[in-house]
Amino acid sequence: MRLVRYEKNPILSPNPANAWESLVVTNPGAWYDEKTGEVKLLYRAAGNDPEHSICFGLAVSKNGYDFKRVSDEPVFGPSRDGYDAGNVQDARVTKIGDWYFVTYACKPYPGGQYWVPIKKRPYQRPQFPDAFPRYFREFAFLTALALTQDFKHFYRAGYMTDPTLNDHDVILFPEKIAGKFWMLQRPMEWAGEGYPNPHPAIWIASGDDVLKMGGARLVAKGKYEWENKRKIGANTVPLKTEAGWLVIYHAVGADRYYRLGALLLDLKEPWKVRRRTKDFIFQPEKDYETKGIYDGGGCVFPCGKVLLGDTLFVYYGAADQYVGVATCKIKELLDYLESCPD
């Protein structure tokens, strides 16, 4: 079973008319707005500046394929002097009630052009003494939360993850389970000696408040050969189906290519994996997926998916530079998952 890439990909590309998105348009969060009948993509954008400052743009579509940018300006960007003053990236969009909850990875200062050899980069990130917080010293990721109703005005609610951890792929479930909020996460330090997973893996935590989760449990670790049995992480907001919570995840192979699989998590006990694809369902193949600025070669990295009728639309970043979409019939994917082991 494979997702089918849209023949007119990429659906969004860097826009030379706007400096802030002239180099990178990628890794979009997605949500279907039932009131307007539109798919919203909150995409990561960057220009060709030495600091490589990253922000979010917004595009909308009536059919899920043809997108129109809503503004010539970013809709959300780094704060002036806060925990996310460097970069904001890789949004995951969840709607709870009348509000969109946007989890995003952030850093306290820009990192420069990471695809350029360090000694040749025109901007070098600052260095800090040992007394500084680890988040600053090691240029680690935090995951933060923004709240909005219209993608024009945002509240920066705060950061969701432990600032002593490098915790990136953090995704909220769209509803409470057993009276609690739940999130998937991938702390890079929770691996190796003393942990059940030798490499960074997918964990789950819960809590009474979205900014204070605890009781983390391991959900899934690298298992199959196509995953290189190494680092994996969740990609998309869980979609509730009768068979379980459907989650798209990525694994980084021995060739450093990012490939995609899928999980079905138990509806009432979401730390339990009901089914897991035994083979990848999507991989980089086209030039726009293998010849961007990702320095490992091929990368497909979705941050959002939506269900339109009986078709699942998976919106993915391609090679850290473009946006593509791949689809399948939801029944086909669920039937395939049911044929796979847990």
Side-chain angles (χ1 to χ4, degrees):
M1 190 272 166
R2 295 286 188 268
L3 300 179
V4 179
R5 61 178 44 78
Y6 181 42
E7 62 183 11
K8 294 183 180 179
N9 277 346
I11 57 172
L12 287 175
S13 298
N15 181 7
N18 296 326
W20 59 274
E21 59 174 350
S22 60
L23 181 67
V24 169
V25 170
T26 196
N27 293 16
W31 196 262
Y32 177 65
D33 187 335
E34 294 182 354
K35 291 182 179 179
T36 64
E38 292 178 327
V39 178
K40 300 179 185 295
L41 292 188
L42 191 64
Y43 60 87
R44 165 177 157 185
N48 199 24
D49 55 295
E51 294 81 11
H52 194 59
S53 180
I54 303 172
C55 57
F56 292 145
L58 181 67
V60 298
S61 171
K62 289 289 188 180
N63 64 8
Y65 294 107
D66 302 308
F67 282 84
K68 180 180 179 181
R69 289 168 165 88
V70 303
S71 175
D72 287 331
E73 298 294 333
V75 296
F76 188 83
S79 61
R80 193 170 80 171
D81 55 7
Y83 52 84
D84 59 355
N87 290 326
V88 299
Q89 63 188 75
D90 299 354
R92 273 74 168 202
V93 181
T94 306
K95 195 172 187 183
I96 302 176
D98 293 329
W99 287 83
Y100 293 97
F101 287 59
V102 181
T103 63
Y104 62 96
C106 61
K107 293 195 174 185
Y109 49 88
Q113 297 178 344
Y114 60 87
W115 59 94
V116 176
I118 293 178
K119 293 183 178 180
K120 294 183 179 181
R121 294 176 189 174
Y123 163 86
Q124 299 293 328
R125 62 184 177 88
Q127 302 297 310
F128 297 100
D130 290 344
F132 266 56
R134 181 177 183 269
Y135 177 53
F136 277 78
R137 287 184 285 107
E138 298 192 11
F139 194 55
F141 276 112
L142 273 177
T143 295
L145 177 67
L147 307 170
T148 184
Q149 288 185 300
D150 57 11
F151 291 95
K152 297 177 182 178
H153 308 94
F154 291 81
Y155 289 106
R156 295 179 199 268
Y159 52 83
M160 305 172 67
T161 53
D162 184 338
T164 66
L165 297 175
N166 187 0
D167 202 348
H168 187 182
D169 296 318
V170 175
I171 304 169
L172 278 173
F173 281 70
E175 63 183 60
K176 287 184 175 181
I177 304 171
K180 293 185 180 295
F181 295 101
W182 294 79
M183 73 176 187
L184 300 171
Q185 62 184 134
R186 204 271 305 280
M188 295 296 287
E189 294 82 1
W190 290 1
E193 186 176 354
Y195 290 91
N197 47 301
H199 304 288
I202 301 171
W203 294 71
I204 193 168
S206 64
D208 296 322
D209 191 292
V210 289
L211 293 183
K212 189 176 182 180
M213 303 278 195
R217 310 183 194 203
L218 179 67
V219 175
K221 59 185 178 181
K223 178 178 181 179
Y224 296 113
E225 290 300 326
W226 70 268
E227 301 167 335
N228 197 28
K229 298 184 180 179
R230 296 180 70 86
K231 179 179 77 171
I232 66 171
N235 280 90
T236 62
V237 172
L239 175 66
K240 191 175 187 179
T241 74
E242 292 184 357
W245 294 103
L246 175 63
V247 178
I248 305 297
Y249 74 97
H250 67 269
V252 183
D255 55 4
R256 298 185 64 198
Y257 272 40
Y258 278 70
R259 294 176 176 86
L260 305 181
L263 301 170
L264 270 180
L265 306 181
D266 188 88
L267 289 175
K268 295 182 179 181
E269 297 177 314
W271 60 90
K272 294 182 178 179
V273 178
R274 283 200 61 250
R275 293 288 185 269
R276 177 176 180 174
T277 50
K278 58 190 175 184
D279 196 4
F280 63 82
I281 59 173
F282 199 62
Q283 70 171 347
E285 294 176 359
K286 300 295 184 180
D287 283 353
Y288 59 86
E289 298 164 344
T290 62
K291 296 181 179 179
I293 61 173
Y294 168 58
D295 58 1
C299 180
V300 288
F301 196 91
C303 290
K305 65 180 185 296
V306 301
L307 187 61
L308 300 180
D310 63 353
T311 301
L312 186 70
F313 287 67
V314 178
Y315 296 98
Y316 65 94
D320 280 5
Q321 202 163 16
Y322 304 96
V323 172
V325 63
T327 63
C328 69
K329 296 300 183 183
I330 185 68
K331 186 178 184 302
E332 180 185 2
L333 179 54
L334 293 177
D335 285 349
Y336 174 65
L337 275 160
E338 290 291 1
S339 74
C340 296
D342 59 14

